[in-house]
Amino acid sequence: MVFTKPEIIEWQSQYPILKDIMDLNPVFWSNPNLKNVEEMDSLPLSREDIEEAELRWQRFAPFLERAFPETSSTNGIIESPLEEISQMKEEYLPDMEGTFYLKCDHELPVAGSIKARGGFYEVLQYAEKLALESGILRKDENYDVFSTDRFKSFFNQYSIGVGSTGNLGLSIGIISAKLGFNVSVYMSMDAKQWKKDLLRENGAEVLEFEGDFSEAILAGREATEADPNGYFIDDEDSEHLFLGYSVAALRLEKQLKEKGITVDADHPLIVYLPCGVGGSPGGITFGMKHVLGNHVHCIFVEPTHSPSVLIGLLTGEMDNVSVHDFGIDNRTEADGLAVGRPSRFATIISDQLVSGIYTIEDNGLYRQLANLADSEGIYLEPSAASGLIGPDRIYPYTEANNIKLSHATHIAWSTGGSLVPDDHMAVFYNKGKSLG
Ligand SMILES: *Cc1c(COP(=O)(O)O)cnc(C)c1O
């Protein structure tokens, strides 16, 4: 749908912030539809769904441990550490109150990004469903059997397709090939070459498309659905990706307890989540609100050139609108966040749960990336650095809602970076340094 000028002019008068968004100025938006957990309108998923998803991860742990030996230290559970980043706070955020942590999803094993949660989960649930339906698996069996040749040749009758600018394709490609699926990743020409190479090395087929990324998705969907044994993973509307992400909340709750961090009115928890299509931040927010309640405040972060979830929520049009309708080009170096249209499934849920969204310029991403490297020796990809200025941006929300920050815990979610080749990382870092 392309919106005609009169509609945009009307929205601009109704939502003054829209002009700044269209002018590509960094903004902070507070969500007027935010609800308390107990007042939420019925949602398509519940806490039980999160717990079931966690059990599915546990069933697959023996397989994951065998397939990916780097997960043996956690017995096949794919999780990342929570690390305090006090040097970063001291050197670059001297005015912030409370403590500052990094949720290190850039270190998630195998995929090196937050997509190890959602992407892996969706493929695992699909594999489990096929195996149960065909009768080759019992649910109480040790899922180690997924690494046998018998299972691999079974899955070889099936194909999985996904359209991706990078990290989603990496996660789906690696795990699907490991299980024995025929997996095809549909990418735009400008997707990073090292990601394509890595996928091919892992046994995935990579198909490249000229033009806009949406053409790659469309072609991928059509080709996959033409195969009766084909399954297309739809980043723009996926309940399974969403649930895979939501499990992070149960894990984080445990990590907070281990560190003696409480969450209540005097000890609010503020979480900054880089946002592309809205699935990972939406799923994590959904989980956090159910597990930790109203004193966790989730803030999404989008590039000024790709504010798709922001525009969808602001106008209430959700996935009916793309940033292109507003003259915004969706061009950003943050390839994990370069999404023009939000997820249908996730955005309807985030509408009630997200506290606010801020936007950031690409130069800000590079600066934060270099700041974190200098202060903590931690290297992220540009998308993942977007949450690091959160504590500086949150005041419009915390002041309006009387949230006291003196005992707050802030968590920037670092969504990717450990697979980025060193020479690429050096370019990111140097760019950040040159910007000062
Ligand atoms: C995919 C991705 C995100 C955002 O997740 P969405 O589900 O698209 O909102 C953030 N950071 C990185 C590095 C990603 O790959």
Side-chain angles (χ1 to χ4, degrees):
M1 196 183 313
V2 172
F3 285 88
T4 51
K5 276 259 152 51
E7 279 171 293
I8 290 188
I9 290 167
E10 198 185 307
W11 277 324
Q12 278 186 339
S13 65
Q14 206 174 340
Y15 311 110
I17 195 175
L18 191 55
K19 179 159 190 330
D20 269 332
I21 296 170
M22 291 170 70
D23 288 344
L24 307 176
N25 295 324
V27 298
F28 185 95
W29 171 77
S30 287
N31 179 10
N33 297 339
L34 174 67
K35 295 213 168 82
N36 279 331
V37 173
E38 47 292 343
E39 295 164 350
M40 287 182 317
D41 298 337
S42 71
L43 296 176
L45 297 171
S46 67
R47 178 171 177 136
E48 277 106 77
D49 294 305
I50 307 172
E51 279 159 6
E52 260 177 45
E54 167 63 14
L55 291 177
R56 180 165 289 118
W57 278 114
Q58 288 174 18
R59 288 197 292 279
F60 272 101
F63 161 72
L64 292 168
E65 184 175 357
R66 183 180 296 259
F68 305 110
E70 59 265 54
T71 66
S72 66
S73 62
T74 54
N75 301 317
I77 294 297
I78 301 220
E79 197 40 72
S80 74
L82 177 68
E83 305 269 8
E84 187 165 7
I85 45 172
S86 51
Q87 282 304 113
M88 175 76 185
K89 170 179 140 118
E90 239 165 72
E91 287 172 43
Y92 298 104
L93 293 149
D95 299 328
M96 82 176 263
E97 291 184 284
T99 50
F100 201 12
Y101 285 82
L102 194 69
K103 179 60 181 157
C104 300
D105 273 10
H106 62 286
E107 288 182 28
L108 280 177
V110 190
S113 83
I114 196 164
K115 302 298 191 301
R117 299 183 186 278
F120 281 14
Y121 180 81
E122 176 145 12
V123 174
L124 293 176
Q125 72 79 31
Y126 179 58
E128 181 185 54
K129 179 170 170 283
L130 288 176
L132 287 172
E133 281 172 4
S134 78
I136 59 168
L137 175 75
R138 289 192 330 268
K139 222 173 184 172
D140 58 359
E141 199 170 345
N142 187 325
Y143 277 28
D144 210 8
V145 290
F146 280 88
S147 36
T148 60
D149 287 342
R150 183 165 62 95
F151 270 58
K152 278 191 189 153
S153 43
F154 171 72
F155 290 124
N156 204 249
Q157 311 165 71
Y158 296 91
S159 65
I160 288 182
V162 64
S164 173
T165 53
N167 289 337
L168 184 67
L170 266 185
S171 74
I172 304 281
I174 292 173
I175 192 127
S176 302
K178 201 60 145 187
L179 283 159
F181 286 106
N182 294 299
V183 57
S184 304
V185 182
Y186 297 82
M187 300 181 113
S188 51
M189 291 297 275
D190 61 355
K192 302 269 185 294
Q193 189 59 44
W194 67 267
K195 293 186 179 174
K196 297 174 188 167
D197 296 342
L198 187 60
L199 273 168
R200 289 184 174 126
E201 271 164 42
N202 278 277
E205 185 187 16
V206 178
L207 297 106
E208 297 172 63
F209 287 82
E210 299 271 5
D212 197 81
F213 172 59
S214 56
E215 286 166 44
I217 297 197
L218 195 65
R221 185 194 305 274
E222 281 175 1
T224 311
E225 287 173 356
D227 175 355
N229 279 349
Y231 180 80
F232 186 71
I233 291 177
D234 185 356
D235 198 18
E236 291 175 335
D237 192 23
S238 171
E239 171 182 330
H240 302 298
L241 287 173
F242 191 89
L243 271 179
Y245 292 122
S246 74
V247 170
L250 297 172
R251 312 273 179 77
L252 185 66
E253 181 191 33
K254 228 196 221 158
Q255 292 178 322
L256 291 170
K257 269 204 191 114
E258 281 163 11
K259 294 193 186 298
I261 298 169
T262 41
V263 180
D264 58 29
D266 292 326
H267 303 82
L269 175 65
I270 329 269
V271 187
Y272 307 99
L273 294 151
C275 175
V277 76
S280 73
I284 290 171
T285 297
F286 173 79
M288 302 281 277
K289 286 287 180 177
H290 279 83
V291 173
L292 292 161
N294 292 321
H295 300 297
V296 46
H297 307 273
C298 297
I299 308 289
F300 294 179
V301 195
E302 296 190 297
T304 50
H305 285 252
S306 302
S308 54
V309 175
L310 172 56
I311 288 183
L313 289 177
L314 172 72
T315 60
E317 291 289 330
M318 310 300 177
D319 63 311
N320 291 328
V321 285
S322 105
V323 299
H324 298 287
D325 300 330
F326 294 78
I328 300 172
D329 63 9
N330 192 28
R331 275 174 194 271
T332 166
E333 282 298 318
D335 55 355
L337 315 182
V339 174
R341 187 184 298 277
S343 156
R344 177 199 310 265
F345 186 83
T347 309
I348 293 169
I349 299 178
S350 297
D351 184 44
Q352 297 185 52
L353 305 183
V354 66
S355 295
I357 301 179
Y358 70 83
T359 55
I360 179 171
E361 293 177 323
D362 277 16
N363 284 347
L365 300 177
Y366 290 118
R367 278 197 197 95
Q368 297 310 316
L369 186 155
N371 289 349
L372 187 72
D374 286 344
S375 57
E376 304 281 347
I378 299 174
Y379 290 80
L380 308 180
E381 62 183 89
S383 300
S386 61
L388 292 166
I389 51 154
D392 250 358
R393 300 287 301 276
I394 190 159
Y395 298 110
Y397 171 75
T398 49
E399 282 169 10
N401 292 282
N402 232 334
I403 296 164
K404 290 185 287 305
L405 293 174
S406 42
H407 303 292
T409 304
H410 303 257
I411 299 179
W413 212 285
S414 87
T415 47
S418 64
L419 294 188
V420 175
D422 289 346
D423 53 334
H424 289 246
M425 193 59 88
V427 173
F428 297 153
Y429 174 82
N430 290 332
K431 193 148 180 187
K433 292 302 274 184
S434 75
L435 291 164

